Amino acid sequence: MNIWFMIWVFVAVILMGTFFWNMRILMWQKMAWKDFAKKHNMDFSSKGVVASGVISGAFQGFYLTVSSDPQIDEDFRGRRFVTVVQVDLKSSMPTEGVVGSPGLRRFVGDLPLAEEFVPHESSGWNPQALIKAQSAEALNSYFTKERTQALNSLMSVKGVNVLFVFNEKSTLLRFETPDPMDDAAKLDRLVGKILEAAKILTV
């Protein structure tokens, strides 16, 4: 048998296996997200059979969205999908700023914000995470020990990225994980943990 034909068959089997496995995970994810949305009286929508769904709606006093977003790998050789849980906080901040977990330190560092802010050392803040704002002084009264620890707890979860974005009009907490969250109970626990932090972070 021709060696190139054997190689082609081998590669084709791997690609087809990967495709069907990804489709299986996608189907599990959509079923889990539908169950979660139904349980909490939220909306679930999907643009197609091979497209991920989106959960949106009010949840424990916040506006919550859950989606699956494509991201380019750090080496720019491919892309991956991450589950994104985003919470709109009903509060505003005294200045514009962004807090990023260690994996987003470079991204936050490149933002055109004037000053860096470092919480008091007694808060146990992870120095690899980065806080930038137009006015660092304006954040002194906001970053209490409890709020700092709440953010730090989310940002310490292995393999995730977290952004806390705010200005004088709105505040947003964004949590990204490579886990497809294809189990409704697991998604429930994750959202619960994020909302615990969101309640503490709300002014």
Side-chain angles (χ1 to χ4, degrees):
M1 185 178 291
N2 188 296
I3 184 65
W4 294 110
F5 178 75
M6 292 178 64
I7 292 174
W8 179 85
V9 170
F10 178 73
V11 172
V13 168
I14 292 177
L15 291 176
M16 289 299 292
T18 300
F19 172 78
F20 285 114
W21 176 250
N22 288 337
M23 285 298 298
R24 187 177 183 182
I25 292 176
L26 177 61
M27 294 302 106
W28 285 346
Q29 182 193 71
K30 291 174 82 167
M31 287 188 293
W33 289 18
K34 283 181 181 178
D35 290 344
F36 177 91
K38 183 178 180 180
K39 176 182 177 181
H40 297 290
N41 296 314
M42 299 178 71
D43 295 325
F44 175 84
S45 61
S46 178
K47 294 182 178 179
V49 176
V50 295
S52 296
V54 177
I55 301 169
S56 60
F59 191 104
Q60 296 185 16
F62 297 94
Y63 187 80
L64 174 76
T65 59
V66 182
S67 61
S68 181
D69 291 357
Q71 291 187 349
I72 302 298
D73 291 337
E74 291 185 3
D75 58 8
F76 298 102
R77 295 181 180 180
R79 67 173 186 169
R80 63 172 187 161
F81 283 85
V82 295
T83 299
V84 178
V85 179
Q86 192 163 286
V87 184
D88 291 318
L89 279 64
K90 294 181 178 180
S91 60
S92 59
M93 296 282 279
T95 185
E96 181 181 12
V98 178
V99 185
S101 56
L104 295 173
R105 184 178 178 86
R106 180 182 295 180
F107 168 77
V108 175
D110 290 340
L111 294 175
L113 294 166
E115 300 176 350
E116 291 187 15
F117 176 83
V118 180
H120 193 276
E121 60 182 12
S122 65
S123 66
W125 180 251
N126 182 352
Q128 295 304 311
L130 182 61
I131 304 173
K132 288 190 71 177
Q134 291 295 5
S135 171
E137 184 179 358
L139 295 179
N140 279 321
S141 61
Y142 175 80
F143 276 91
T144 62
K145 185 174 182 179
E146 185 182 25
R147 288 179 180 143
T148 304
Q149 289 178 340
L151 259 181
N152 210 35
S153 177
L154 284 184
M155 294 187 175
S156 298
V157 179
K158 187 176 180 180
V160 309
N161 286 324
V162 179
L163 278 176
F164 183 53
V165 185
F166 50 85
N167 59 26
E168 294 85 349
K169 295 182 179 180
S170 60
T171 305
L172 183 72
L173 179 61
R174 178 183 172 95
F175 184 98
E176 302 175 354
T177 173
D179 193 317
M181 290 292 148
D182 52 4
D183 178 85
K186 189 175 184 180
L187 178 59
D188 225 328
R189 290 193 296 271
L190 175 64
V191 169
K193 180 179 177 65
I194 294 171
L195 289 186
E196 284 180 10
K199 291 172 184 176
I200 296 171
L201 295 171
T202 299
V203 177

